[in-house]
């Protein structure tokens, strides 16, 4: 095992989990978990601490806002209150509006089921990324987060290693070519590997610890 493989092993050993897992989402290719991931991607893409976005995703779930029908039928104030309970106060009013509008779009255009959006993309990752950005509040960063996390259940997207994941790889002195990087992950769930790399990008101590342990 060469040093790069050891770095990957140490990184995954300590940080081998997805952001969806941290938010309490048991991700499957079914409507509700996929919708909850879309909401999480929206929250994580704002300029706010990741821990706050994760707490807010859990707060929305606890408030019953876990599918597009319930999200659209909730009042704007109910959405604001749930966001506030998660600590998502800086963007709460705008985000409450965007979540309501996005839930209505998903319901009206894709019957509340993101698998229909996937079908419309017909296996084209660039089209998936474009369609995701039609949701209010989901820009390029939000679409990247969704596809990074969803690639385990939407394998046509794998390996999805966006700029943030590649930034983590660079910090770890790993290859920044996506195909070479994916080879180092072996049989690891690509979503888990991508999330670990992102943590190395956004938390300096994660990268330092993996490098130190790899020797």
């Amino acid at each position: 095992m060469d040093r790069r493989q050891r770095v990957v092993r140490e990184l995954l050993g300590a940080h081998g989990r997805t952001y969806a897992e941290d938010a309490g989402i048991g991700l499957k290719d079914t409507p509700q978990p996929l919708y909850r991931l879309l909401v999480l991607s929206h929250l994580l893409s704002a300029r706010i601490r990741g821990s706050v976005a994760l707490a807010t995703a859990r707060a929305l779930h606890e408030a019953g806002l876990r599918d597009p029908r319930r999200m659209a039928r909730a009042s704007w104030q109910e959405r604001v209150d749930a966001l506030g309970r998660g600590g998502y106060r800086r963007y709460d009013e705008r985000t409450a509006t965007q979540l309501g509008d996005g839930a209505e779009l998903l319901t009206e255009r894709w019957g509340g089921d993101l698998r229909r959006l996937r079908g419309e993309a017909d296996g084209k990752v660039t089209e998936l990324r474009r369609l995701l950005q039609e949701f209010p509040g989901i820009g390029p960063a939000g679409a990247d987060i969704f596809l990074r996390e969803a690639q385990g259940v939407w394998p046509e997207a794998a390996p999805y290693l966006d700029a943030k994941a590649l930034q983590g790889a660079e910090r770890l002195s790993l290859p920044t070519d996506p195909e070479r990087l994916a080879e180092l992950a072996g049989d690891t769930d690509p979503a888990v590997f991508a999330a670990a790399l992102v943590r190395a990008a956004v938390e300096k101590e994660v990268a330092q610890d993996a490098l130190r342990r790899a020797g």
Side-chain angles (χ1 to χ4, degrees):
M1 182 182 292
D2 67 20
R3 187 168 189 275
R4 295 179 307 171
Q5 291 171 314
R6 293 197 303 274
V7 168
V8 170
R9 181 192 63 189
E10 296 299 337
L11 176 70
L12 291 171
H15 304 283
R17 64 191 185 281
T18 63
Y19 284 89
E21 284 182 78
D22 280 351
I25 302 170
L27 191 59
K28 297 182 290 186
D29 189 26
T30 54
Q32 189 177 115
L34 289 170
Y35 176 68
R36 290 182 65 199
L37 175 60
L38 181 70
V39 171
L40 176 63
S41 301
H42 183 159
L43 299 173
L44 283 169
S45 65
R47 294 187 179 186
I48 200 161
R49 289 197 312 276
S51 59
V52 172
L54 292 166
T56 302
R58 291 191 291 269
L60 288 167
H61 178 76
E62 289 163 6
L65 307 180
R66 60 194 67 164
D67 63 52
R69 179 181 60 84
R70 290 186 177 99
M71 184 70 80
R73 292 172 73 177
S75 70
W76 178 82
Q77 190 61 53
E78 286 172 328
R79 293 192 293 268
V80 168
D81 290 345
L83 290 164
R85 285 193 294 275
Y88 207 86
R89 296 185 179 87
R90 183 177 176 188
Y91 303 103
D92 55 353
E93 295 187 357
R94 182 181 68 183
T95 301
T97 299
Q98 291 173 334
L99 288 174
D101 292 345
E104 289 181 4
L105 173 64
L106 178 56
T107 300
E108 293 169 5
R109 182 165 172 182
W110 293 291
D113 189 344
L114 283 162
R115 295 175 301 180
R116 295 186 182 183
L117 178 150
R118 180 190 184 189
E120 186 175 323
D122 196 27
K124 300 181 180 68
V125 178
T126 53
E127 184 65 3
L128 272 176
R129 192 170 185 269
R130 185 190 70 78
L131 288 170
L132 288 165
Q133 291 178 67
E134 295 199 13
F135 289 101
I138 298 283
D144 283 341
I145 293 166
F146 183 93
L147 291 171
R148 270 199 328 250
E149 294 278 313
Q151 62 184 310
V153 294
W154 287 5
E156 70 271 25
Y160 199 90
L161 297 164
D162 66 334
K164 186 62 71 174
L166 296 179
Q167 182 183 329
E170 184 175 13
R171 179 170 275 181
L172 292 160
S173 299
L174 297 174
T176 53
D177 173 74
E179 289 189 9
R180 289 179 61 206
L181 188 56
E183 287 175 5
L184 287 173
D187 295 332
T188 301
D189 181 332
V192 169
F193 184 45
L197 289 171
V198 169
R199 286 189 175 88
V202 301
E203 301 174 45
K204 189 176 182 180
E205 62 274 15
V206 167
Q208 291 174 336
D209 185 58
L211 290 168
R212 179 180 57 80
R213 288 176 178 274

